[in-house]
Amino acid sequence: ETGVTQSPTHLIKTRGQQVTLRCSSQSGHNTVSWYQQALGQGPQFIFQYYREEENGRGNFPPRFSGLQFPNYSSELNVNALELDDSALYLCASSSRPGPHISRDEQYFGPGTRLTVT
Amino acid sequence: AQSVTQLGSHVSVSEGALVLLRCNYSSSVPPYLFWYVQYPNQGLQLLLKYTSAATLVKGINGFEAEFKKSETSFHLTKPSAHMSDAAEYFCAVRSSGNQFYFGTGTSLTVIP
């Protein structure tokens, strides 16, 4: 059973650019959540995908968008990067048998460290 | 809305001493509560979770937490700190939509 993996591990971008971060969920998991963790802060929920559909969104602007693929891997896209987007971006996967039935545990990947200059 | 508050952004204990990390929650429904640990440059690892089955929850690495509804608390404890316990600890609450809301974290330092 493979764990959650994320790529790349580190990334440096310039303000105004666009970035795509990738996440492969743990085997058997159909739900992926993305979090932004600024330096010295706790993770902040960005959004969640369940079976390729967005299933909840935190307080983030539309320039943060995502995708989930049939194999349940996921992408986080951020357009028009701002300096405040510099953070560790965490992906977490979990198993959800049905739309109203959830498994409690989320398994986190190691994160992608994004620096915007 | 559900949220958690962690009291104390930094805690220092001597090796072998009791570890106590505080977490208070706010929830209009019975909460599902979690403690995660994060080592430098790593993701989050689940320590333990409360899902209403028992108020005293035992987790990995000798940690445990007690759910106290009357105090809206879910404090994390370990009887004897080890050097390897030095890390960042996060309390989290899960919403009905399986979305997690984290506290701001407590950095634990263990003094030899």
Side-chain angles (χ1 to χ4, degrees):
Chain A
E1 183 178 273
T2 57
V4 179
T5 61
Q6 293 185 243
S7 63
T9 54
H10 295 87
L11 201 55
I12 300 175
K13 288 286 189 178
T14 303
R15 190 172 53 183
Q17 287 187 314
Q18 178 267 342
V19 69
T20 297
L21 310 182
R22 296 178 174 81
C23 171
S24 291
S25 59
Q26 184 161 313
S27 176
H29 286 183
N30 57 15
T31 302
V32 173
S33 301
W34 285 93
Y35 297 84
Q36 180 195 67
Q37 186 178 17
L39 197 61
Q41 300 295 316
Q44 298 292 313
F45 174 72
I46 301 175
F47 45 55
Q48 182 183 91
Y49 278 82
Y50 168 67
R51 292 187 174 178
E52 304 178 56
E53 298 286 333
E54 187 176 291
N55 180 55
R57 189 180 183 92
N59 189 28
F60 281 81
R63 61 190 184 84
F64 285 78
S65 63
L67 283 173
Q68 188 179 31
F69 300 100
N71 66 355
Y72 303 130
S73 65
S74 178
E75 288 183 353
L76 164 65
N77 299 289
V78 187
N79 294 321
L81 283 167
E82 301 178 0
L83 296 180
D84 285 349
D85 295 334
S86 296
L88 179 69
Y89 287 85
L90 296 165
C91 164
S93 75
S94 57
S95 173
R96 198 175 188 189
H100 303 296
I101 302 171
S102 61
R103 295 282 186 250
D104 298 317
E105 297 181 23
Q106 291 195 345
Y107 293 86
F108 283 81
T112 293
R113 174 73 62 188
L114 173 64
T115 302
V116 182
T117 63
Chain B
Q2 295 169 308
S3 65
V4 292
T5 301
Q6 291 184 244
L7 302 175
S9 57
H10 294 88
V11 170
S12 293
V13 300
S14 298
E15 190 174 15
L18 171 72
V19 175
L20 171 61
L21 305 182
R22 300 178 186 273
C23 173
N24 288 88
Y25 69 89
S26 173
S27 177
S28 57
V29 297
Y32 282 57
L33 296 162
F34 303 78
W35 275 99
Y36 281 86
V37 61
Q38 186 176 37
Y39 297 100
N41 300 313
Q42 294 188 26
L44 278 71
Q45 180 184 4
L46 179 67
L47 278 177
L48 49 81
K49 63 180 180 181
Y50 167 74
T51 56
S52 75
T55 56
L56 183 62
V57 182
K58 294 187 183 299
I60 63 171
N61 301 339
F63 284 93
E64 62 182 36
E66 186 173 7
F67 173 75
K68 291 186 176 180
K69 185 177 180 180
S70 60
E71 299 177 7
T72 62
S73 68
F74 189 57
H75 301 331
L76 181 71
T77 61
K78 182 174 180 177
S80 176
H82 191 273
M83 295 299 294
S84 62
D85 294 328
E88 191 83 16
Y89 291 80
F90 293 94
C91 181
V93 61
R94 180 176 72 85
S95 73
S96 58
N98 204 34
Q99 297 146 14
F100 282 61
Y101 296 92
F102 288 84
T104 52
T106 297
S107 177
L108 176 65
T109 299
V110 181
I111 304 166

mmCIF file of all heavy atoms in Angstrom, chain A residues 35 37 40-43 45 48 55-56 88 90 94 96 102-106 108-110, chain B residues 32 34 36 38 41-44 46 49 51 90 94 96-104:
data_model
loop_
_atom_site.group_PDB
_atom_site.id
_atom_site.type_symbol
_atom_site.label_atom_id
_atom_site.label_comp_id
_atom_site.label_asym_id
_atom_site.label_seq_id
_atom_site.Cartn_x
_atom_site.Cartn_y
_atom_site.Cartn_z
ATOM 1 N N TYR A 35 -4.654 21.636 1.535
ATOM 2 C CA TYR A 35 -4.486 22.607 2.606
ATOM 3 C C TYR A 35 -3.302 23.517 2.298
ATOM 4 O O TYR A 35 -2.316 23.093 1.702
ATOM 5 C CB TYR A 35 -4.216 21.902 3.944
ATOM 6 C CG TYR A 35 -5.352 21.033 4.428
ATOM 7 C CD1 TYR A 35 -5.494 19.724 3.978
ATOM 8 C CD2 TYR A 35 -6.278 21.524 5.343
ATOM 9 C CE1 TYR A 35 -6.535 18.921 4.422
ATOM 10 C CE2 TYR A 35 -7.325 20.728 5.789
ATOM 11 C CZ TYR A 35 -7.443 19.434 5.323
ATOM 12 O OH TYR A 35 -8.484 18.648 5.761
ATOM 13 N N GLN A 37 -0.503 25.741 4.320
ATOM 14 C CA GLN A 37 0.086 25.966 5.634
ATOM 15 C C GLN A 37 1.139 27.055 5.518
ATOM 16 O O GLN A 37 2.260 26.812 5.065
ATOM 17 C CB GLN A 37 0.679 24.688 6.212
ATOM 18 C CG GLN A 37 1.180 24.854 7.640
ATOM 19 C CD GLN A 37 1.740 23.576 8.240
ATOM 20 O OE1 GLN A 37 2.056 22.624 7.527
ATOM 21 N NE2 GLN A 37 1.877 23.545 9.551
ATOM 22 N N GLY A 40 4.532 28.979 10.351
ATOM 23 C CA GLY A 40 4.120 29.231 11.723
ATOM 24 C C GLY A 40 2.626 29.128 11.974
ATOM 25 O O GLY A 40 2.151 29.481 13.062
ATOM 26 N N GLN A 41 1.898 28.645 10.987
ATOM 27 C CA GLN A 41 0.436 28.525 11.109
ATOM 28 C C GLN A 41 -0.009 27.076 10.953
ATOM 29 O O GLN A 41 0.748 26.226 10.494
ATOM 30 C CB GLN A 41 -0.251 29.384 10.047
ATOM 31 C CG GLN A 41 0.062 30.854 10.134
ATOM 32 C CD GLN A 41 -0.467 31.476 11.399
ATOM 33 O OE1 GLN A 41 -1.603 31.209 11.806
ATOM 34 N NE2 GLN A 41 0.350 32.291 12.047
ATOM 35 N N GLY A 42 -1.271 26.829 11.324
ATOM 36 C CA GLY A 42 -1.844 25.526 11.065
ATOM 37 C C GLY A 42 -2.344 25.447 9.639
ATOM 38 O O GLY A 42 -2.543 26.468 8.973
ATOM 39 N N PRO A 43 -2.543 24.237 9.137
ATOM 40 C CA PRO A 43 -3.081 24.080 7.780
ATOM 41 C C PRO A 43 -4.458 24.706 7.643
ATOM 42 O O PRO A 43 -5.298 24.568 8.537
ATOM 43 C CB PRO A 43 -3.139 22.567 7.608
ATOM 44 C CG PRO A 43 -2.162 22.013 8.595
ATOM 45 C CD PRO A 43 -2.226 22.950 9.767
ATOM 46 N N PHE A 45 -7.847 24.794 5.240
ATOM 47 C CA PHE A 45 -8.552 24.001 4.237
ATOM 48 C C PHE A 45 -8.809 24.843 2.990
ATOM 49 O O PHE A 45 -9.402 25.928 3.069
ATOM 50 C CB PHE A 45 -9.864 23.497 4.836
ATOM 51 C CG PHE A 45 -10.759 22.789 3.871
ATOM 52 C CD1 PHE A 45 -10.431 21.526 3.413
ATOM 53 C CD2 PHE A 45 -11.933 23.374 3.437
ATOM 54 C CE1 PHE A 45 -11.264 20.854 2.533
ATOM 55 C CE2 PHE A 45 -12.774 22.719 2.556
ATOM 56 C CZ PHE A 45 -12.432 21.453 2.101
ATOM 57 N N GLN A 48 -11.889 20.259 -1.217
ATOM 58 C CA GLN A 48 -11.877 18.800 -1.192
ATOM 59 C C GLN A 48 -12.524 18.277 -2.477
ATOM 60 O O GLN A 48 -13.488 18.862 -2.964
ATOM 61 C CB GLN A 48 -12.653 18.283 0.015
ATOM 62 C CG GLN A 48 -12.676 16.773 0.160
ATOM 63 C CD GLN A 48 -13.520 16.343 1.339
ATOM 64 O OE1 GLN A 48 -14.715 16.091 1.228
ATOM 65 N NE2 GLN A 48 -12.886 16.252 2.505
ATOM 66 N N ASN A 55 -16.101 19.051 -3.430
ATOM 67 C CA ASN A 55 -17.011 18.703 -2.343
ATOM 68 C C ASN A 55 -16.690 19.539 -1.115
ATOM 69 O O ASN A 55 -16.314 19.038 -0.078
ATOM 70 C CB ASN A 55 -16.865 17.214 -2.032
ATOM 71 C CG ASN A 55 -17.774 16.767 -0.909
ATOM 72 O OD1 ASN A 55 -18.980 16.963 -0.959
ATOM 73 N ND2 ASN A 55 -17.201 16.197 0.121
ATOM 74 N N GLY A 56 -16.795 20.824 -1.250
ATOM 75 C CA GLY A 56 -16.499 21.710 -0.134
ATOM 76 C C GLY A 56 -15.302 22.580 -0.429
ATOM 77 O O GLY A 56 -14.331 22.143 -1.061
ATOM 78 N N LEU A 88 3.515 26.041 2.548
ATOM 79 C CA LEU A 88 3.585 24.599 2.317
ATOM 80 C C LEU A 88 2.178 24.146 1.939
ATOM 81 O O LEU A 88 1.215 24.430 2.661
ATOM 82 C CB LEU A 88 4.050 23.881 3.587
ATOM 83 C CG LEU A 88 4.147 22.356 3.520
ATOM 84 C CD1 LEU A 88 5.292 21.939 2.593
ATOM 85 C CD2 LEU A 88 4.372 21.768 4.914
ATOM 86 N N LEU A 90 -0.310 21.120 1.404
ATOM 87 C CA LEU A 90 -0.470 19.730 1.818
ATOM 88 C C LEU A 90 -1.680 19.110 1.151
ATOM 89 O O LEU A 90 -2.735 19.738 1.033
ATOM 90 C CB LEU A 90 -0.638 19.648 3.336
ATOM 91 C CG LEU A 90 0.549 20.097 4.175
ATOM 92 C CD1 LEU A 90 0.136 20.303 5.620
ATOM 93 C CD2 LEU A 90 1.667 19.070 4.100
ATOM 94 N N SER A 94 -8.381 10.348 1.843
ATOM 95 C CA SER A 94 -9.184 9.557 2.766
ATOM 96 C C SER A 94 -10.140 8.700 1.964
ATOM 97 O O SER A 94 -10.336 8.895 0.762
ATOM 98 C CB SER A 94 -9.941 10.454 3.741
ATOM 99 O OG SER A 94 -10.749 11.379 3.043
ATOM 100 N N ARG A 96 -13.967 7.281 1.414
ATOM 101 C CA ARG A 96 -15.341 7.712 1.641
ATOM 102 C C ARG A 96 -16.260 6.789 0.873
ATOM 103 O O ARG A 96 -16.417 6.922 -0.345
ATOM 104 C CB ARG A 96 -15.503 9.138 1.169
ATOM 105 C CG ARG A 96 -16.713 9.827 1.727
ATOM 106 C CD ARG A 96 -16.739 11.277 1.318
ATOM 107 N NE ARG A 96 -17.798 11.991 1.991
ATOM 108 C CZ ARG A 96 -18.161 13.231 1.689
ATOM 109 N NH1 ARG A 96 -17.556 13.862 0.716
ATOM 110 N NH2 ARG A 96 -19.131 13.811 2.341
ATOM 111 N N SER A 102 -18.386 8.927 5.745
ATOM 112 C CA SER A 102 -16.967 9.277 5.652
ATOM 113 C C SER A 102 -16.139 8.421 6.586
ATOM 114 O O SER A 102 -16.637 7.917 7.582
ATOM 115 C CB SER A 102 -16.765 10.744 5.976
ATOM 116 O OG SER A 102 -17.202 11.005 7.300
ATOM 117 N N ARG A 103 -14.936 8.246 6.233
ATOM 118 C CA ARG A 103 -13.952 7.662 7.134
ATOM 119 C C ARG A 103 -13.215 8.811 7.792
ATOM 120 O O ARG A 103 -12.931 9.809 7.175
ATOM 121 C CB ARG A 103 -12.981 6.776 6.361
ATOM 122 C CG ARG A 103 -13.621 5.562 5.744
ATOM 123 C CD ARG A 103 -13.853 4.477 6.780
ATOM 124 N NE ARG A 103 -14.341 3.249 6.157
ATOM 125 C CZ ARG A 103 -15.580 2.802 6.312
ATOM 126 N NH1 ARG A 103 -16.428 3.469 7.052
ATOM 127 N NH2 ARG A 103 -15.964 1.692 5.728
ATOM 128 N N ASP A 104 -12.888 8.668 9.034
ATOM 129 C CA ASP A 104 -12.384 9.805 9.768
ATOM 130 C C ASP A 104 -10.980 10.222 9.383
ATOM 131 O O ASP A 104 -10.662 11.388 9.395
ATOM 132 C CB ASP A 104 -12.402 9.480 11.261
ATOM 133 C CG ASP A 104 -13.801 9.228 11.749
ATOM 134 O OD1 ASP A 104 -14.682 9.984 11.352
ATOM 135 O OD2 ASP A 104 -13.986 8.273 12.504
ATOM 136 N N GLU A 105 -10.156 9.264 9.089
ATOM 137 C CA GLU A 105 -8.750 9.590 9.009
ATOM 138 C C GLU A 105 -8.353 10.138 7.642
ATOM 139 O O GLU A 105 -8.780 9.650 6.610
ATOM 140 C CB GLU A 105 -7.903 8.344 9.307
ATOM 141 C CG GLU A 105 -8.110 7.828 10.713
ATOM 142 C CD GLU A 105 -7.259 6.618 11.015
ATOM 143 O OE1 GLU A 105 -6.224 6.448 10.344
ATOM 144 O OE2 GLU A 105 -7.649 5.839 11.899
ATOM 145 N N GLN A 106 -7.560 11.172 7.684
ATOM 146 C CA GLN A 106 -6.927 11.690 6.488
ATOM 147 C C GLN A 106 -5.442 11.406 6.593
ATOM 148 O O GLN A 106 -4.842 11.577 7.643
ATOM 149 C CB GLN A 106 -7.155 13.199 6.354
ATOM 150 C CG GLN A 106 -8.595 13.567 6.055
ATOM 151 C CD GLN A 106 -8.740 14.988 5.572
ATOM 152 O OE1 GLN A 106 -7.841 15.800 5.699
ATOM 153 N NE2 GLN A 106 -9.888 15.312 5.014
ATOM 154 N N PHE A 108 -1.794 12.387 5.181
ATOM 155 C CA PHE A 108 -1.170 13.542 4.553
ATOM 156 C C PHE A 108 0.089 13.173 3.785
ATOM 157 O O PHE A 108 0.862 12.305 4.204
ATOM 158 C CB PHE A 108 -0.810 14.582 5.611
ATOM 159 C CG PHE A 108 -1.987 15.370 6.099
ATOM 160 C CD1 PHE A 108 -2.836 14.846 7.066
ATOM 161 C CD2 PHE A 108 -2.263 16.622 5.579
ATOM 162 C CE1 PHE A 108 -3.928 15.573 7.518
ATOM 163 C CE2 PHE A 108 -3.351 17.348 6.017
ATOM 164 C CZ PHE A 108 -4.184 16.821 6.985
ATOM 165 N N GLY A 109 0.289 13.889 2.698
ATOM 166 C CA GLY A 109 1.550 13.800 1.984
ATOM 167 C C GLY A 109 2.580 14.713 2.626
ATOM 168 O O GLY A 109 2.261 15.466 3.546
ATOM 169 N N PRO A 110 3.815 14.693 2.130
ATOM 170 C CA PRO A 110 4.885 15.496 2.718
ATOM 171 C C PRO A 110 4.799 16.970 2.361
ATOM 172 O O PRO A 110 5.472 17.794 2.990
ATOM 173 C CB PRO A 110 6.153 14.864 2.138
ATOM 174 C CG PRO A 110 5.696 14.288 0.840
ATOM 175 C CD PRO A 110 4.300 13.832 1.052
ATOM 176 N N TYR B 32 -15.795 15.516 16.108
ATOM 177 C CA TYR B 32 -14.772 14.511 15.874
ATOM 178 C C TYR B 32 -13.438 15.259 15.965
ATOM 179 O O TYR B 32 -13.196 16.174 15.184
ATOM 180 C CB TYR B 32 -14.942 13.878 14.490
ATOM 181 C CG TYR B 32 -16.051 12.852 14.429
ATOM 182 C CD1 TYR B 32 -17.354 13.180 14.780
ATOM 183 C CD2 TYR B 32 -15.802 11.545 14.027
ATOM 184 C CE1 TYR B 32 -18.370 12.237 14.731
ATOM 185 C CE2 TYR B 32 -16.817 10.596 13.972
ATOM 186 C CZ TYR B 32 -18.099 10.959 14.324
ATOM 187 O OH TYR B 32 -19.106 10.034 14.278
ATOM 188 N N PHE B 34 -9.092 15.458 16.580
ATOM 189 C CA PHE B 34 -7.859 14.772 16.204
ATOM 190 C C PHE B 34 -6.649 15.541 16.725
ATOM 191 O O PHE B 34 -6.703 16.767 16.906
ATOM 192 C CB PHE B 34 -7.736 14.689 14.678
ATOM 193 C CG PHE B 34 -8.895 13.999 14.009
ATOM 194 C CD1 PHE B 34 -10.097 14.657 13.817
ATOM 195 C CD2 PHE B 34 -8.769 12.699 13.581
ATOM 196 C CE1 PHE B 34 -11.172 14.029 13.207
ATOM 197 C CE2 PHE B 34 -9.834 12.056 12.970
ATOM 198 C CZ PHE B 34 -11.040 12.724 12.789
ATOM 199 N N TYR B 36 -2.609 15.789 15.487
ATOM 200 C CA TYR B 36 -1.594 15.428 14.502
ATOM 201 C C TYR B 36 -0.244 15.971 14.965
ATOM 202 O O TYR B 36 -0.164 16.990 15.665
ATOM 203 C CB TYR B 36 -1.915 16.051 13.144
ATOM 204 C CG TYR B 36 -2.978 15.333 12.352
ATOM 205 C CD1 TYR B 36 -4.328 15.621 12.557
ATOM 206 C CD2 TYR B 36 -2.645 14.385 11.391
ATOM 207 C CE1 TYR B 36 -5.310 14.973 11.819
ATOM 208 C CE2 TYR B 36 -3.626 13.729 10.646
ATOM 209 C CZ TYR B 36 -4.944 14.029 10.879
ATOM 210 O OH TYR B 36 -5.918 13.384 10.148
ATOM 211 N N GLN B 38 3.682 17.077 13.445
ATOM 212 C CA GLN B 38 4.436 17.413 12.234
ATOM 213 C C GLN B 38 5.896 17.613 12.596
ATOM 214 O O GLN B 38 6.238 18.515 13.370
ATOM 215 C CB GLN B 38 3.869 18.672 11.582
ATOM 216 C CG GLN B 38 4.510 19.011 10.243
ATOM 217 C CD GLN B 38 3.855 20.221 9.593
ATOM 218 O OE1 GLN B 38 3.463 21.163 10.275
ATOM 219 N NE2 GLN B 38 3.738 20.198 8.269
ATOM 220 N N ASN B 41 9.886 19.716 8.001
ATOM 221 C CA ASN B 41 9.906 19.400 6.575
ATOM 222 C C ASN B 41 9.141 18.120 6.233
ATOM 223 O O ASN B 41 9.476 17.442 5.250
ATOM 224 C CB ASN B 41 11.352 19.292 6.067
ATOM 225 C CG ASN B 41 12.107 20.579 6.274
ATOM 226 O OD1 ASN B 41 11.616 21.656 5.962
ATOM 227 N ND2 ASN B 41 13.294 20.488 6.842
ATOM 228 N N GLN B 42 8.155 17.809 7.052
ATOM 229 C CA GLN B 42 7.337 16.636 6.772
ATOM 230 C C GLN B 42 5.855 16.995 6.814
ATOM 231 O O GLN B 42 5.468 18.066 7.269
ATOM 232 C CB GLN B 42 7.634 15.523 7.781
ATOM 233 C CG GLN B 42 9.041 14.959 7.688
ATOM 234 C CD GLN B 42 9.223 13.745 8.571
ATOM 235 O OE1 GLN B 42 8.275 13.033 8.894
ATOM 236 N NE2 GLN B 42 10.461 13.487 8.971
ATOM 237 N N GLY B 43 5.036 16.057 6.332
ATOM 238 C CA GLY B 43 3.591 16.235 6.432
ATOM 239 C C GLY B 43 3.100 15.918 7.829
ATOM 240 O O GLY B 43 3.888 15.737 8.752
ATOM 241 N N LEU B 44 1.802 15.830 7.981
ATOM 242 C CA LEU B 44 1.195 15.592 9.283
ATOM 243 C C LEU B 44 0.944 14.102 9.493
ATOM 244 O O LEU B 44 0.503 13.403 8.587
ATOM 245 C CB LEU B 44 -0.129 16.344 9.392
ATOM 246 C CG LEU B 44 -0.053 17.824 9.760
ATOM 247 C CD1 LEU B 44 0.499 18.637 8.611
ATOM 248 C CD2 LEU B 44 -1.416 18.343 10.172
ATOM 249 N N LEU B 46 -1.060 11.329 12.011
ATOM 250 C CA LEU B 46 -2.121 11.212 12.996
ATOM 251 C C LEU B 46 -1.597 10.581 14.286
ATOM 252 O O LEU B 46 -0.994 9.511 14.269
ATOM 253 C CB LEU B 46 -3.256 10.359 12.444
ATOM 254 C CG LEU B 46 -4.445 10.132 13.385
ATOM 255 C CD1 LEU B 46 -5.185 11.442 13.623
ATOM 256 C CD2 LEU B 46 -5.386 9.080 12.807
ATOM 257 N N LYS B 49 -7.395 10.047 17.660
ATOM 258 C CA LYS B 49 -8.659 10.671 17.268
ATOM 259 C C LYS B 49 -9.745 10.322 18.273
ATOM 260 O O LYS B 49 -9.739 9.248 18.885
ATOM 261 C CB LYS B 49 -9.075 10.208 15.877
ATOM 262 C CG LYS B 49 -9.351 8.706 15.782
ATOM 263 C CD LYS B 49 -9.761 8.320 14.371
ATOM 264 C CE LYS B 49 -10.047 6.814 14.277
ATOM 265 N NZ LYS B 49 -10.435 6.416 12.900
ATOM 266 N N THR B 51 -13.824 9.885 18.437
ATOM 267 C CA THR B 51 -15.015 9.763 17.603
ATOM 268 C C THR B 51 -16.211 9.321 18.430
ATOM 269 O O THR B 51 -17.095 8.648 17.939
ATOM 270 C CB THR B 51 -14.774 8.760 16.467
ATOM 271 O OG1 THR B 51 -14.369 7.495 17.035
ATOM 272 C CG2 THR B 51 -13.698 9.241 15.533
ATOM 273 N N PHE B 90 -0.692 19.669 16.231
ATOM 274 C CA PHE B 90 -1.891 20.352 15.793
ATOM 275 C C PHE B 90 -3.127 19.594 16.251
ATOM 276 O O PHE B 90 -3.231 18.374 16.071
ATOM 277 C CB PHE B 90 -1.937 20.469 14.270
ATOM 278 C CG PHE B 90 -0.879 21.357 13.692
ATOM 279 C CD1 PHE B 90 0.327 20.828 13.239
ATOM 280 C CD2 PHE B 90 -1.077 22.729 13.616
ATOM 281 C CE1 PHE B 90 1.314 21.660 12.711
ATOM 282 C CE2 PHE B 90 -0.095 23.556 13.078
ATOM 283 C CZ PHE B 90 1.096 23.022 12.639
ATOM 284 N N ARG B 94 -13.139 17.771 12.731
ATOM 285 C CA ARG B 94 -13.664 17.400 11.422
ATOM 286 C C ARG B 94 -15.103 17.855 11.301
ATOM 287 O O ARG B 94 -15.913 17.618 12.199
ATOM 288 C CB ARG B 94 -13.591 15.897 11.219
ATOM 289 C CG ARG B 94 -14.131 15.436 9.881
ATOM 290 C CD ARG B 94 -13.959 13.945 9.671
ATOM 291 N NE ARG B 94 -14.850 13.145 10.493
ATOM 292 C CZ ARG B 94 -16.099 12.825 10.171
ATOM 293 N NH1 ARG B 94 -16.622 13.273 9.046
ATOM 294 N NH2 ARG B 94 -16.825 12.067 10.965
ATOM 295 N N SER B 96 -18.903 17.992 9.299
ATOM 296 C CA SER B 96 -19.790 16.952 8.774
ATOM 297 C C SER B 96 -19.446 16.603 7.336
ATOM 298 O O SER B 96 -19.776 15.520 6.863
ATOM 299 C CB SER B 96 -21.244 17.412 8.874
ATOM 300 O OG SER B 96 -21.414 18.622 8.161
ATOM 301 N N GLY B 97 -18.787 17.501 6.647
ATOM 302 C CA GLY B 97 -18.390 17.235 5.275
ATOM 303 C C GLY B 97 -17.011 16.622 5.155
ATOM 304 O O GLY B 97 -16.415 16.615 4.084
ATOM 305 N N ASN B 98 -16.492 16.095 6.268
ATOM 306 C CA ASN B 98 -15.165 15.469 6.280
ATOM 307 C C ASN B 98 -14.061 16.453 5.941
ATOM 308 O O ASN B 98 -13.040 16.082 5.359
ATOM 309 C CB ASN B 98 -15.118 14.264 5.337
ATOM 310 C CG ASN B 98 -14.028 13.273 5.723
ATOM 311 O OD1 ASN B 98 -13.748 13.098 6.906
ATOM 312 N ND2 ASN B 98 -13.398 12.665 4.746
ATOM 313 N N GLN B 99 -14.253 17.714 6.283
ATOM 314 C CA GLN B 99 -13.217 18.722 6.104
ATOM 315 C C GLN B 99 -12.629 19.036 7.471
ATOM 316 O O GLN B 99 -13.354 19.165 8.442
ATOM 317 C CB GLN B 99 -13.820 19.963 5.459
ATOM 318 C CG GLN B 99 -14.358 19.677 4.056
ATOM 319 C CD GLN B 99 -15.580 20.490 3.708
ATOM 320 O OE1 GLN B 99 -15.904 21.454 4.383
ATOM 321 N NE2 GLN B 99 -16.263 20.126 2.633
ATOM 322 N N PHE B 100 -11.320 19.162 7.515
ATOM 323 C CA PHE B 100 -10.629 19.335 8.784
ATOM 324 C C PHE B 100 -10.274 20.802 8.997
ATOM 325 O O PHE B 100 -9.803 21.478 8.080
ATOM 326 C CB PHE B 100 -9.353 18.491 8.795
ATOM 327 C CG PHE B 100 -9.603 17.033 9.060
ATOM 328 C CD1 PHE B 100 -10.396 16.281 8.211
ATOM 329 C CD2 PHE B 100 -9.042 16.401 10.162
ATOM 330 C CE1 PHE B 100 -10.637 14.937 8.451
ATOM 331 C CE2 PHE B 100 -9.269 15.055 10.397
ATOM 332 C CZ PHE B 100 -10.069 14.333 9.548
ATOM 333 N N TYR B 101 -10.451 21.256 10.226
ATOM 334 C CA TYR B 101 -10.078 22.607 10.615
ATOM 335 C C TYR B 101 -9.066 22.499 11.744
ATOM 336 O O TYR B 101 -9.345 21.897 12.783
ATOM 337 C CB TYR B 101 -11.321 23.411 11.022
ATOM 338 C CG TYR B 101 -12.261 23.590 9.850
ATOM 339 C CD1 TYR B 101 -13.288 22.691 9.630
ATOM 340 C CD2 TYR B 101 -12.076 24.632 8.948
ATOM 341 C CE1 TYR B 101 -14.123 22.818 8.518
ATOM 342 C CE2 TYR B 101 -12.909 24.777 7.847
ATOM 343 C CZ TYR B 101 -13.929 23.866 7.643
ATOM 344 O OH TYR B 101 -14.743 23.996 6.559
ATOM 345 N N PHE B 102 -7.904 23.084 11.509
ATOM 346 C CA PHE B 102 -6.774 22.928 12.412
ATOM 347 C C PHE B 102 -6.578 24.138 13.306
ATOM 348 O O PHE B 102 -6.908 25.270 12.932
ATOM 349 C CB PHE B 102 -5.491 22.715 11.600
ATOM 350 C CG PHE B 102 -5.402 21.372 10.942
ATOM 351 C CD1 PHE B 102 -6.015 21.138 9.722
ATOM 352 C CD2 PHE B 102 -4.702 20.334 11.538
ATOM 353 C CE1 PHE B 102 -5.937 19.899 9.101
ATOM 354 C CE2 PHE B 102 -4.619 19.088 10.931
ATOM 355 C CZ PHE B 102 -5.248 18.874 9.718
ATOM 356 N N GLY B 103 -5.989 23.893 14.460
ATOM 357 C CA GLY B 103 -5.521 24.978 15.300
ATOM 358 C C GLY B 103 -4.214 25.536 14.764
ATOM 359 O O GLY B 103 -3.679 25.050 13.757
ATOM 360 N N THR B 104 -3.690 26.524 15.438
ATOM 361 C CA THR B 104 -2.479 27.201 14.983
ATOM 362 C C THR B 104 -1.205 26.467 15.367
ATOM 363 O O THR B 104 -0.123 26.855 14.957
ATOM 364 C CB THR B 104 -2.418 28.631 15.524
ATOM 365 O OG1 THR B 104 -2.608 28.587 16.938
ATOM 366 C CG2 THR B 104 -3.501 29.495 14.888
#
